[in-house]
Amino acid sequence: AVVSLQIEAEVQRRKELIHQSVERRAIISKCYKPKHPEVYTLQDSFLAPEFLEILRFCTSPGADLQGLLSFLESFSDKRIYRLPVFTEEFCQAFVEELENFEQSDMPKGRPNTMNNYGVLLNELGMDEPFLTPLRERLLPLTALLYPELGGGCLDSHKAFVVKYALHQDLDLSSHYDNAEVTLNVSLGKEFTEGNLYFGEFSQDPAPVPQYLEVEHVRGRGLLHRGGQIHGALPVASGERWNLIVWMRASAVRNRLCPMCRRKPELVEAEGFGDGFTEPAGQQEEPQTVDLCAL
């Protein structure tokens, strides 16, 4: 009985989070004065030339996984890949903008229950002008890397920036993401330690997990399966800011929830509804299901 009451309270809390977030976004939109307004709209000049080259390859005739892998850094057999994403200049301007927001008296939501410091980017109004185009540009890449996870039809996202520093959030314990595919980009600033570590895929538990440590490189992003168990080791000094984009495919998760492993019962929700997103005007399964079938 106690457990069911706790679950009920958590469900209620999560429903309220959505409304609180909408209210915060309205206040921020009306009252917040950005320091670097240009960073709110994705521009090619923010993207590393190598990133644009990778996208050109992925959209060229005959692009295949083997060819793509020659552009990426691969780590073990865990399907974790590193690639340049942003320029140094953009990372610096973006962090300055986030610090400006952090120091303002605007209302702030927590990215999730594990991160107390950071920013929910939809509340800053970055979803449509920045994050949706970034996710859409990644599709040819994720389609080749993660076809069985709906990599070609990632149709929604949740994006936030996390901050690690001494006397704030230092590290992050082992977890997996509510995402089909995750992009994690190091934005800086200056820090030591704080590496990411990766264990097994959540669907393949191992009696003795093999852990892999990966260093952050400013401007570079890691792509991994949302279900890859991972965490962050403590920073020893400085501040570490990372952009996290949880990318989701409704064609996959409308069949099987990645968190509870059951077929979800869909209910009305605001925004992207945790990625169980019915395309507009379509009550049936999305047309993309055949391409993305598990």
Side-chain angles (χ1 to χ4, degrees):
V2 173
V3 172
S4 70
L5 281 174
Q6 287 171 331
I7 292 169
E8 192 82 16
E10 178 60 13
V11 168
Q12 200 48 44
R13 186 188 74 83
R14 290 185 181 209
K15 284 181 179 170
E16 283 162 16
L17 278 182
I18 298 163
H19 304 305
Q20 291 161 1
S21 186
V22 169
E23 285 169 13
R24 283 193 299 267
R25 183 176 172 179
I27 293 166
I28 292 163
S29 164
K30 192 175 169 191
C31 307
Y32 174 61
K33 189 170 179 355
K35 179 175 183 173
H36 292 296
E38 70 281 1
V39 303
Y40 286 72
T41 302
L42 185 67
Q43 297 170 41
D44 274 8
S45 59
F46 301 165
L47 300 169
E50 303 95 322
F51 181 74
L52 294 170
E53 193 187 337
I54 291 168
L55 297 188
R56 272 195 297 276
F57 169 78
C58 290
T59 51
S60 64
D64 62 358
L65 178 61
Q66 259 346 88
L68 170 57
L69 292 179
S70 67
F71 289 90
L72 307 176
E73 239 182 300
S74 298
F75 296 92
S76 76
D77 57 354
K78 295 182 189 288
R79 298 171 73 193
I80 300 160
Y81 306 102
R82 181 156 61 198
L83 68 160
V85 179
F86 297 127
T87 64
E88 287 275 332
E89 296 73 25
F90 171 75
C91 289
Q92 187 174 336
F94 191 28
V95 170
E96 283 177 11
E97 178 58 43
L98 295 163
E99 289 182 315
N100 188 62
F101 176 71
E102 188 187 40
Q103 286 151 19
S104 74
D105 57 2
M106 291 295 113
K108 299 169 184 78
R110 288 164 50 177
N112 51 60
T113 52
M114 299 172 83
N115 291 102
N116 299 296
Y117 298 89
V119 182
L120 284 160
L121 294 179
N122 69 316
E123 293 185 3
L124 273 182
M126 291 187 78
D127 255 353
E128 286 312 309
F130 190 100
L131 293 155
T132 293
L134 179 63
R135 167 172 51 79
E136 288 172 348
R137 299 203 64 176
L138 282 164
L139 285 174
L141 183 68
T142 51
L144 288 172
L145 293 175
Y146 307 107
E148 82 293 1
L149 294 171
C153 52
L154 298 167
D155 52 0
S156 72
H157 57 264
K158 176 179 177 174
F160 48 95
V161 172
V162 291
K163 177 191 175 190
Y164 296 92
L166 301 178
H167 314 302
Q168 294 189 351
D169 285 337
L170 258 187
D171 55 13
L172 187 60
S173 55
S174 214
H175 66 286
Y176 58 91
D177 300 337
N178 184 356
E180 273 63 69
V181 179
T182 296
L183 173 68
N184 179 337
V185 188
S186 174
L187 302 171
K189 301 165 55 172
E190 297 296 325
F191 58 90
T192 55
E193 307 287 338
N195 287 354
L196 291 178
Y197 63 87
F198 290 90
E200 306 307 313
F201 189 61
S202 61
Q203 310 303 293
D204 316 322
V208 184
Q210 299 290 305
Y211 284 98
L212 166 78
E213 250 186 75
V214 181
E215 272 185 57
H216 296 279
V217 181
R218 181 174 161 132
R220 292 180 181 251
L222 289 167
L223 277 169
H224 63 82
R225 296 173 292 178
Q228 193 81 47
I229 292 167
H230 60 286
L233 295 168
V235 289
S237 68
E239 281 181 15
R240 175 165 87 69
W241 292 78
N242 284 62
L243 166 66
I244 315 288
V245 188
W246 287 354
M247 298 183 283
R248 292 144 164 185
S250 59
V252 170
R253 61 180 43 217
N254 284 1
R255 293 173 159 206
L256 190 69
C257 169
M259 305 310 277
C260 70
R261 308 299 300 162
R262 289 202 284 265
K263 183 172 171 62
E265 291 174 35
L266 300 182
V267 294
E268 288 278 320
E270 294 185 48
F272 284 137
D274 260 10
F276 301 91
T277 307
E278 300 239 36
Q282 228 183 275
Q283 297 312 309
E284 300 298 307
E285 292 248 292
Q287 294 300 299
T288 44
V289 161
D290 291 346
L291 294 174
C292 302
L294 284 168

